[in-house]
Amino acid sequence: TSMTSAKIQVNGVHLHYQLTGEGSHAVLLLPGMLGSGQTDFGPQLKSMNKQIFTIVAWDPRGYGQSIPPSRDFPPDFFERDAKDAVDLMQALKFKKFSLLGWSDGGITALIAAAKYPTLIHKLVVWGANASVTQEDVRIYNGIRDVSKWSEKVKKPLEEMYGHKYFAKTCEAWVDGISRFAEKSDGSICQQLLPDIKCPTFIIHGEKDPLVPQAHAEYIHKHIKGSR
């Protein structure tokens, strides 16, 4: 099946996406911090069933090929990504679609499913968290300096962004996400979880070095009927 790679104007920015498959079930793949459709979802774009699914992978603003603008992290950056993601799918003429999000993309997907319940068919998230604790901030600061990252993780991102943008954006992300811990409950989107009505599947890696398992358990507990 052919793959479309294009940009479309959404909310004043040109968002890059890849699209493949001709199935009746549309799915949007949401990448994690610094990720893009291609770096995070190469295997899914290649191997997901193209007869059942129409698969869209996007680059959030400031990531991947959705530059310009440069990536920034205002207090509402997750809400902004959620609106961009939903508006992108509507611009591509999908009436209803499922969300598959990992890490930051999982958080974005949770917010989108809560805020736009009539548009979201099903939800799968992995490596996601609905709040930020002081312990999380300590973990995030451990990845602030990208020169300490393993070559395997660092290389594709350096190739995509160049060292300077990659290093600067990672530092800005650590500052941006750590701000949630300054709230009394550390919430990113905890209050929205009960609003999620679609079938939801939560996956978590037992050895996830960045997101402790308690986050997945919290999300499962607060989304009714989730698995």
Side-chain angles (χ1 to χ4, degrees):
T1 313
S2 68
M3 171 96 68
T4 302
S5 176
K7 283 186 166 186
I8 189 165
Q9 189 165 347
V10 176
N11 299 327
V13 294
H14 290 89
L15 295 175
H16 178 261
Y17 67 93
Q18 290 162 285
L19 187 153
T20 185
E22 58 255 302
S24 59
H25 188 160
V27 297
L28 176 65
L29 309 175
L30 298 96
M33 175 263 279
L34 281 162
S36 67
Q38 192 52 51
T39 53
D40 289 14
F41 295 115
Q44 286 77 13
L45 286 164
K46 195 171 141 215
S47 306
M48 274 179 78
N49 187 316
K50 311 280 167 89
Q51 275 66 57
I52 297 174
F53 300 111
T54 296
I55 302 134
V56 181
W58 80 309
D59 299 358
R61 62 170 74 197
Y63 285 162
Q65 294 182 55
S66 295
I67 304 172
S70 292
R71 182 71 182 182
D72 62 349
F73 299 94
D76 67 342
F77 73 91
F78 283 117
E79 280 83 4
R80 183 180 66 181
D81 282 349
K83 184 168 170 30
D84 281 350
V86 166
D87 291 352
L88 167 76
M89 291 300 278
Q90 295 204 291
L92 295 174
K93 304 282 186 270
F94 294 107
K95 289 187 171 52
K96 202 162 180 163
F97 46 92
S98 293
L99 301 172
L100 283 72
W102 97 274
S103 184
D104 273 14
I107 300 171
T108 301
L110 292 168
I111 293 170
K115 288 192 155 180
Y116 309 95
T118 58
L119 302 175
I120 310 306
H121 181 45
K122 293 183 176 183
L123 174 64
V124 182
V125 297
W126 59 108
N129 48 303
S131 67
V132 178
T133 67
Q134 290 304 328
E135 167 66 4
D136 295 326
V137 172
R138 193 186 62 72
I139 296 171
Y140 300 150
N141 275 306
I143 65 157
R144 178 186 288 275
D145 180 356
V146 298
S147 67
K148 297 186 177 138
W149 288 27
S150 76
E151 211 42 53
K152 178 173 173 267
V153 182
K154 188 166 64 176
K155 199 171 171 224
L157 292 166
E158 278 196 328
E159 282 171 3
M160 184 162 63
Y161 293 120
H163 178 75
K164 194 176 155 198
Y165 187 91
F166 169 44
K168 184 184 78 163
T169 307
C170 181
E171 283 188 18
W173 176 83
V174 171
D175 291 339
I177 197 151
S178 296
R179 274 204 305 266
F180 290 103
E182 292 162 14
K183 298 186 196 173
S184 59
D185 57 355
S187 176
I188 301 173
C189 62
Q190 287 178 323
Q191 71 293 351
L192 291 175
L193 299 180
D195 297 341
I196 296 173
K197 303 289 186 250
C198 63
T200 300
F201 188 38
I202 298 145
I203 303 168
H204 202 79
E206 206 165 68
K207 298 177 182 174
D208 188 319
L210 213 55
V211 183
Q213 192 175 321
H215 284 297
E217 288 161 3
Y218 182 95
I219 294 168
H220 172 43
K221 190 177 157 193
H222 290 87
I223 298 178
K224 203 171 172 239
S226 62
R227 296 191 295 134

